[in-house]
Amino acid sequence: MIRGALAAAVTPLRDGGEVLDEQAFEPFVAFLADNGLDGIFALGTTGEGLLLSVEERRRAATLFLEANAGQLAVVIHCGAQTTSDTVALAEHAAEQGADAVAAVAPPYYGFDEDELTRHFTAAAAACAPVPFFLYEIAARSGYAIPLTVVERLREDVPNLVGLKVSDTPFERVEPYLVEGLDVFVGSEPLAAEALERGAAGVVSGLASAFPEVVAALVAEPTEERAEEIAALRDTLQRFPFVAALKLVLGRRGLPVREDVRAPLRGLTEAERAAFGNPVGEWLTSQS
């Protein structure tokens, strides 16, 4: 059973974001494992998963799993625009030894309940009996996964174990806290309330660069810690978020480049100059 604090991991890239930076995976995963996390959610939104080709995603999944070597629970996000690509990625993740597979609702088209049910059922079957998570993020899919679809899948898909819910505010998360399903929230400031209401943990983009902060929040989900982490997230969100996380990792001594996959962009020189030192500021706040 997967619970606790998971990093929504960035994906190391190089050459202007066009190539996987294979040498960076092992030190990056070791950094996450050494700083109190319980798992990794790879190739999701923070991991630029939908911007990578199917072959790149297969290779990145393998690199994450090989670098991890059983240290943390690894969830591989396999959601894609088509059912066939999602199935292929889910099957590969299971074959490579992923602890769980997740899939976002396909973006762009407004799929009806039958279409979504068939899509997710096929994805879950492709990785069975590996645990399967729905990834609810209406801001990126363009729509929310209907609760009726969740209930249908709960009855018919034996390896459905839960959801990652990255919606805000909490009122949009609450309906997905269904008894018998493990729910991970994606918004760190909602962690305290969600955990109190029975959520299984947090899948956090911020944890890619500040794993110890998110691990501490999940271990002790106080309002004070939630406010601290909200301030830290606000600092990074003033800039291109994925590139900012990678910049922080570089400043923390990791061989992770700022490179992101276009059309995402890195920080401009002016933004980099204005970025400051969130690592130092956070360390100072802890002393």
Side-chain angles (χ1 to χ4, degrees), residues 1-280:
M1 180 181 296
I2 302 172
R3 305 188 76 81
L6 280 67
V10 300
T11 300
L13 300 173
R14 60 178 177 83
D15 297 355
E18 291 304 309
V19 179
L20 296 174
D21 190 355
E22 298 200 4
Q23 302 306 311
F25 280 78
E26 186 170 348
F28 174 48
V29 171
F31 166 74
L32 299 177
D34 290 343
N35 280 283
L37 293 179
D38 300 293
I40 297 169
F41 187 96
L43 298 164
T45 305
T46 306
E48 304 170 69
L50 269 70
L51 297 179
L52 305 179
S53 70
V54 170
E55 285 307 313
E56 287 175 318
R57 292 176 69 175
R58 283 192 178 111
R59 180 60 180 157
T62 298
L63 289 167
F64 271 115
L65 290 162
E66 289 180 348
N68 181 59
Q71 300 172 88
L72 301 171
V74 178
V75 182
I76 302 294
H77 172 247
C78 297
Q81 187 69 66
T82 67
T83 300
S84 61
D85 284 351
T86 304
V87 164
L89 289 164
E91 188 174 57
H92 175 266
E95 290 172 351
Q96 294 295 303
D99 295 290
V101 165
V104 72
Y108 189 75
Y109 291 100
F111 298 105
D112 66 27
E113 293 187 12
D114 287 342
E115 290 167 330
L116 285 173
T117 300
R118 286 197 297 269
H119 174 79
F120 286 125
T121 299
C127 66
V130 172
F132 181 75
F133 285 85
L134 302 174
Y135 180 9
E136 159 60 24
I137 180 168
R140 298 291 178 263
S141 294
Y143 56 91
I145 301 173
L147 286 170
T148 48
V149 170
V150 177
E151 289 297 340
R152 287 171 66 178
L153 294 169
R154 187 183 179 192
E155 291 183 8
D156 298 336
V157 176
N159 59 325
L160 176 67
V161 298
L163 303 90
K164 178 196 174 188
V165 182
S166 292
D167 299 334
T168 59
F170 185 74
E171 287 71 24
R172 295 179 62 186
V173 175
E174 188 173 20
Y176 292 102
L177 293 170
V178 178
E179 185 178 353
L181 293 178
D182 291 334
V183 173
F184 289 82
V185 293
S187 174
E188 300 92 353
L190 301 182
E193 187 171 7
L195 290 167
E196 184 179 348
R197 294 288 303 275
V202 177
V203 176
S204 160
L206 197 62
S208 267
F210 295 94
E212 62 274 81
V213 180
V214 178
L217 173 68
V218 174
E220 188 181 351
T222 65
E223 192 64 34
E224 182 180 6
R225 287 190 184 276
E227 290 174 359
E228 290 173 355
I229 206 167
L232 189 56
R233 174 173 271 278
D234 287 346
T235 297
L236 268 66
Q237 285 185 322
R238 291 189 289 114
F239 305 92
F241 185 66
V242 177
L245 289 173
K246 291 182 176 183
L247 179 59
V248 170
L249 285 165
R251 291 185 175 182
R252 298 197 71 172
L254 276 295
V256 175
R257 305 167 193 260
E258 189 184 322
D259 300 40
V260 292
R261 175 62 56 87
L264 292 178
R265 67 171 180 86
L267 279 67
T268 65
E269 288 302 323
E271 287 171 332
R272 199 174 288 105
F275 190 69
N277 183 10
V279 178

